[in-house]
Amino acid sequence: MILSPFEWTIAKRYMLPGRGEAFIAMVAGISLVAVMLGVAALVIVMSVMNGFRAELLDKIVGLNGHAIVQAYGGRLDDWQDILKRVEATPGVTRASPLIEQPLLATFNGRVEAILVRGNTGSDIQRLSAKRLVGNFAELRAGSSNVAIGSRLAESLGAQIGDTITIINPQGRSTPFGTVPRQIGYRVAAIFEIGVYDYDNAYVVMPIADAQTLLLTGDTIGMIEVTTTNADTAAQTLAPIKQALAGRAQVTDWKTINASLFEALAVERVAMFVVLSIIVLVAVFNILSSLIMLVRAKTRDIAILRTMGATRKSLLKVFVTIGFIIGALGTAVGLALGLVFLYFRQSVVNGVEFLTGQPLWDPQIRFLTELPSRSDPVEITVICLMALVLSFLATLYPALTAASTDPVQVLRYE
């Protein structure tokens, strides 16, 4: 919508407060701030929700693969043949044997529940990217070296070079009963994945050492699989699932973490709907401010009509005024939201310092830091929604102004 110089002059004049119009200007300013806060809130919340889902997906899938093949009973005896079949499946990029077993670890009188994870050498090297201290190269079969999560290291009070004791309840049988198996392992590395549950429980060791600890012989617990597309992992592994029916089960990451990601999806939609109401309220503020402006300028509008101003010109003037308020609020809100997201962790730390209350507890939130991932398409939709609603809010006041009858207004002037 292009304005003529005359129309633009009138629009600028009406956007600036005149004598006795301070209240109208205040309402227009409140409308602008409301749109700004609504857009900023939507951008911040949706980006954080996207980041939360993406970070969880990256960390969970990056560590555990897109799917697992697990035998009924927990032990795969002929796992070499199954591994070859899985690797030969179209769409599979990596398949690796894995052992996971919940056990207990003790150090200096402290006892913690752990999850022993037996990995191949290549998988251990991939995990080395998460290293905080130590050397993953020391995790060799028969070395009795392990890597532990950072939170577990804090809970046990263990550091690099310390020896922790891992207790396997399924120990050796004696005339006096089963004696738990206790083996000491040296902490060679400490890692941080970024997911609290993992960092608080995982003890990683070579798969051969895990087999010795668990007395499982040459068997493994499962095979983790990575595919070309995480979203189609179930379809990719459908032939394997059918071939292993009755012997092993194939479970993709969506099934394993279904409750978590479904809850995130529901919360994401709910937050978008609730926060959109803020923008809607701001739009009603624009509507009310324009109605008051039209009422205050009724005499001026009548004079403009007698001087030759067309109904279309007046319509364009008042639509422009309301739309500019909405557009400025949207632009400033977008900028505010992006700035907040950039300094999000500093803001969280500052609020925690001022209030003395933890806002981001890793034990509850799974992740150690507030995540963020902005979706350009989603941000565009938010901005367009604010602009369209702002435009619609201008129509009624603008049509009212355009339909003003100068004869009726100026009859008694």
Side-chain angles (χ1 to χ4, degrees):
M1 184 171 57
I2 301 176
L3 272 68
S4 66
F6 163 73
E7 294 165 347
W8 182 242
T9 300
I10 298 300
K12 287 192 296 183
R13 171 63 187 85
Y14 284 176
M15 280 190 288
L16 299 176
R19 181 177 301 177
E21 299 172 357
F23 182 74
I24 298 176
M26 183 184 70
V27 174
I30 292 174
S31 304
L32 190 149
V33 172
V35 173
M36 176 190 73
L37 294 178
V39 171
L42 274 171
V43 170
I44 292 169
V45 171
M46 299 310 295
S47 296
V48 169
M49 294 296 295
N50 287 338
F52 194 79
R53 183 185 185 279
E55 287 294 316
L56 273 180
L57 179 60
D58 290 345
K59 293 180 184 298
I60 291 174
V61 173
L63 184 66
N64 294 324
H66 298 159
I68 59 171
V69 179
Q70 187 173 19
Y72 295 108
R75 291 189 179 184
L76 280 174
D77 295 323
D78 54 344
W79 62 271
Q80 291 92 343
D81 294 336
I82 297 176
L83 180 64
K84 292 179 181 178
R85 178 178 294 183
V86 173
E87 290 176 333
T89 302
V92 173
T93 58
R94 186 181 63 86
S96 180
L98 173 67
I99 294 177
E100 279 192 358
Q101 182 68 37
L103 297 176
L104 293 175
T106 178
F107 177 74
N108 281 348
R110 300 182 181 181
V111 180
E112 294 289 338
I114 63 170
L115 190 63
V116 170
R117 185 179 175 93
N119 282 122
T120 62
S122 58
D123 289 336
I124 290 175
Q125 290 305 310
R126 287 195 310 113
L127 186 61
S128 64
K130 308 294 184 180
R131 178 184 63 86
L132 286 181
V133 291
N135 186 5
F136 272 83
E138 297 181 14
L139 271 67
R140 297 184 298 273
S143 64
S144 295
N145 289 330
V146 296
I148 64 176
S150 57
R151 302 287 178 175
L152 178 60
E154 292 177 5
S155 300
L156 291 174
Q159 299 178 354
I160 298 298
D162 291 336
T163 300
I164 63 174
T165 301
I166 297 181
I167 304 171
N168 180 11
Q170 297 179 349
R172 64 182 185 277
S173 299
T174 69
F176 302 99
T178 301
V179 177
R181 185 177 176 81
Q182 302 184 37
I183 301 180
Y185 292 92
R186 175 181 171 272
V187 178
I190 296 175
F191 58 86
E192 183 171 280
I193 297 171
V195 179
Y196 181 86
D197 288 355
Y198 295 168
D199 295 333
N200 194 48
Y202 272 171
V203 174
V204 177
M205 62 178 64
I207 195 168
D209 289 358
Q211 290 171 335
T212 301
L213 171 64
L214 299 173
L215 302 174
T216 59
D218 191 34
T219 64
I220 63 170
M222 62 190 75
I223 297 174
E224 63 175 12
V225 184
T226 303
T227 62
T228 53
N229 188 345
D231 292 328
T232 59
Q235 291 83 346
T236 300
L237 295 175
I240 296 296
K241 184 176 183 179
Q242 184 177 1
L244 298 178
R247 299 167 55 197
Q249 58 181 350
V250 179
T251 311
D252 68 332
W253 66 272
K254 292 182 181 179
T255 303
I256 297 172
N257 305 284
S259 58
L260 175 61
F261 285 100
E262 285 178 4
L264 286 176
V266 172
E267 185 176 359
R268 182 170 176 270
V269 173
M271 293 299 291
F272 182 85
V273 173
V274 171
L275 292 175
S276 296
I277 296 176
I278 299 177
V279 178
L280 192 59
V281 171
V283 166
F284 278 109
N285 283 337
I286 295 176
L287 175 64
S288 62
S289 64
L290 283 179
I291 290 175
M292 287 189 291
L293 180 62
V294 170
R295 291 293 298 273
K297 298 295 184 182
T298 301
R299 183 172 178 275
D300 293 356
I301 294 170
I303 293 173
L304 289 172
R305 290 282 288 119
T306 60
M307 294 174 63
T310 64
R311 296 179 184 272
K312 182 179 180 181
S313 294
L314 293 175
L315 181 70
K316 290 164 66 176
V317 165
F318 285 95
V319 167
T320 300
I321 294 171
F323 186 76
I324 286 177
I325 294 174
L328 285 176
T330 301
V332 177
L334 176 59
L336 178 63
L338 295 178
V339 170
F340 183 95
L341 290 173
Y342 184 80
F343 295 102
R344 63 189 182 280
Q345 197 58 44
S346 299
V347 172
V348 171
N349 294 338
V351 175
E352 288 180 343
F353 177 77
L354 292 175
T355 61
Q357 297 295 325
L359 298 180
W360 191 262
D361 188 351
Q363 299 184 52
I364 300 174
R365 307 294 184 181
F366 295 100
L367 302 179
T368 55
E369 291 186 351
L370 180 67
S372 171
R373 182 169 296 186
S374 299
D375 183 357
V377 175
E378 197 167 67
I379 290 178
T380 301
V381 169
I382 292 172
C383 294
L384 287 177
M385 179 188 70
L387 293 174
V388 169
L389 290 176
S390 299
F391 173 76
L392 293 177
T394 66
L395 293 181
Y396 174 74
L399 289 172
T400 302
S403 61
T404 299
D405 186 356
V407 175
Q408 295 295 329
V409 174
L410 300 176
R411 174 177 294 177
Y412 301 106
E413 293 292 335

